């Protein structure tokens, strides 16, 4: 049996407090109806503010920045990859290759690099395990272009060499890209545009992880043109060895030899130390 008693209000005590007697025990009961309404109203206000913040952010992303975000998403999904053209060969009058370009395929995973063949590189890319344009489960394929010179220093002064493009090269020639190589000396420099060729492009579709999904289109690169010199490779080597040997005898590190055909004016050998 519960007896409810209303006590006289005392100074300093809330009038909303009453006491209930249950058996021999007494309990205080607080009448907090007004406080509860205040708390409920406060929480409702907080929820409304949070919803308004989310709706405002959603409006900004979809309406205000919608076009920009769609453009960024499309850019991230489709990549334009440059395909470097193979540089033309330089040959001697007897068709011996003096300079040619070779591609070296490297599988890179972190700091580890493993040289692989072209066929293995293509197989890994077809299986989406690794590729030139994305890093797969086994890593990423890096294609390194090397210019090889059969006679080395024997014909270096005549043939020349190539090097990476500089900022000045890019400013002077709009057709160059940062991955290109340019001639720096000799035939390589004098016939740069003739040897360089024309780069290709490949449009690649990738997923959210950057893995290639498909090739949407491509323009194959056009290889540079070959050049046949009047230089005779065996005579070039004989001339180099002879000049170097004679220079060592007299204690000099400088000298030059030019061998020409007196009937045609063709240069058959050109050596400079």
């Amino acid at each position: 049996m519960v007896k409810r008693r209303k006590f006289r209000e005392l100074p300093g005590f809330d009038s909303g407090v009453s006491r209930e007697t249950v058996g021999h025990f007494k309990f205080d009961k607080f009448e907090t109806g007004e406080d509860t309404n205040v708390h409920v109203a406060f929480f409702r206000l907080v929820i409304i503010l949070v919803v308004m913040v989310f709706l405002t952010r959603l409006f900004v992303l979809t309406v205000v920045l919608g076009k920009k975000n769609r453009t960024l998403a499309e850019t991230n999904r489709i990549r334009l990859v440059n395909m470097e053209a193979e540089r033309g060969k330089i040959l001697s009058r007897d068709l011996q290759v003096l300079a040619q370009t070779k591609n070296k395929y490297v599988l890179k995973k972190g700091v580890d690099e493993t040289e692989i063949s072209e066929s293995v590189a293509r197989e890994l890319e077809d299986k989406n395990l690794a590729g030139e344009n994305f890093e797969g489960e086994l890593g990423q394929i890096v294609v390194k272009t090397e210019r090889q010179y059969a006679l080395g220093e024997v014909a270096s002064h005549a043939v020349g060499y190539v090097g990476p493009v500089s900022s000045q090269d890019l400013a002077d020639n709009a057709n160059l890209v940062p991955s290109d190589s340019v001639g720096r000396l000799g035939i390589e420099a004098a016939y740069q545009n003739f040897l360089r060729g024309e780069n290709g492009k490949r449009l690649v579709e990738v997923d959210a992880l950057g893995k290639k999904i498909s090739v949407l289109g491509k323009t194959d690169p056009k290889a540079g043109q070959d050049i046949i010199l009047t230089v005779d490779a065996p005579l070039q080597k004989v001339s180099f060895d002879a000049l170097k040997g004679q220079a060592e005898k007299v204690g000099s590190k400088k000298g030059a030899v030019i061998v020409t055909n007196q009937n045609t004016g063709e240069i058959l050998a050109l050596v400079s130390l």
Side-chain angles (χ1 to χ4, degrees):
M1 178 177 180
V2 178
K3 298 179 180 179
R4 183 181 180 88
R5 298 178 183 176
K6 185 71 175 179
F7 292 89
R8 179 172 60 85
E9 295 183 6
L10 297 177
F13 289 89
D14 192 347
S15 60
V17 177
S18 61
R19 291 184 176 179
E20 294 181 355
T21 302
V22 180
H24 299 287
F25 299 96
K26 295 181 179 180
F27 300 92
D28 290 338
K29 183 177 180 181
F30 295 88
E31 304 292 341
T32 59
E34 185 176 345
D35 291 340
T36 301
N37 292 335
V38 172
H39 292 159
V40 171
F42 175 75
F43 283 116
R44 284 178 179 175
L45 179 61
V46 171
I47 292 173
I48 292 174
L49 290 176
V50 171
V51 172
M52 288 182 64
V53 169
F54 277 110
L55 289 177
T56 302
R57 182 59 179 166
L58 182 62
F59 177 80
V60 171
L61 292 175
T62 58
V63 179
V64 179
L65 299 177
K67 184 177 180 180
K68 179 180 178 181
N69 289 335
R70 284 192 297 272
T71 301
L72 289 174
E74 197 68 19
T75 302
N76 291 334
R77 188 175 64 87
I78 299 175
R79 297 178 183 175
L80 184 63
V81 181
N82 182 67
M83 300 169 65
E84 186 176 357
E86 182 179 348
R87 196 174 180 85
K89 299 176 183 178
I90 300 177
L91 304 99
S92 65
R93 66 185 300 120
D94 55 343
L95 302 183
Q96 179 176 334
V97 177
L98 302 179
Q100 64 179 336
T101 299
K102 291 290 186 181
N103 290 333
K104 183 170 70 173
Y105 295 84
V106 176
L107 181 61
K108 186 175 182 180
K109 182 71 171 179
V111 296
D112 298 328
E113 293 188 356
T114 305
E115 187 172 349
I116 58 178
S117 65
E118 182 178 1
S119 59
V120 171
R122 296 291 171 250
E123 183 179 355
L124 291 176
E125 189 164 12
D126 290 340
K127 294 180 179 179
N128 273 336
L129 295 175
E132 295 179 43
N133 313 308
F134 64 91
E135 183 173 354
E137 183 180 343
L138 298 182
Q140 185 167 5
I141 298 173
V142 179
V143 182
K144 297 183 178 181
T145 302
E146 294 183 346
R147 191 69 167 167
Q148 298 179 344
Y149 299 97
L151 297 182
E153 64 173 344
V154 171
S156 60
H157 186 76
V159 175
Y161 67 95
V162 296
V165 297
S166 63
S167 57
Q168 188 60 49
D169 293 326
L170 295 173
D172 294 340
N173 191 341
N175 294 323
L176 292 175
V177 296
S179 59
D180 281 340
S181 298
V182 294
R184 294 300 183 195
L185 187 69
I187 297 297
E188 293 278 25
Y191 291 91
Q192 161 67 18
N193 294 334
F194 191 82
L195 291 165
R196 178 177 174 267
E198 185 177 340
N199 289 341
K201 301 290 183 182
R202 181 166 50 187
L203 200 62
V204 180
E205 183 181 10
V206 297
D207 60 16
L209 299 178
K211 292 186 178 182
K212 185 187 74 172
I213 298 175
S214 63
V215 177
L216 301 179
K218 70 175 182 177
T219 302
D220 292 328
K222 296 179 181 179
Q225 300 184 62
D226 298 339
I227 293 179
I228 301 177
L229 307 180
T230 60
V231 170
D232 183 279
L235 182 58
Q236 177 76 17
K237 188 174 187 315
V238 170
S239 301
F240 176 84
D241 291 340
L243 177 61
K244 187 175 182 180
Q246 189 62 31
E248 290 176 351
K249 284 183 180 180
V250 299
S252 175
K253 295 182 179 179
K254 296 182 179 180
V257 171
I258 300 177
V259 181
T260 63
N261 184 329
Q262 61 179 357
N263 295 322
T264 61
E266 296 174 328
I267 297 177
L268 303 178
L270 178 62
V271 181
S272 178
L273 298 178

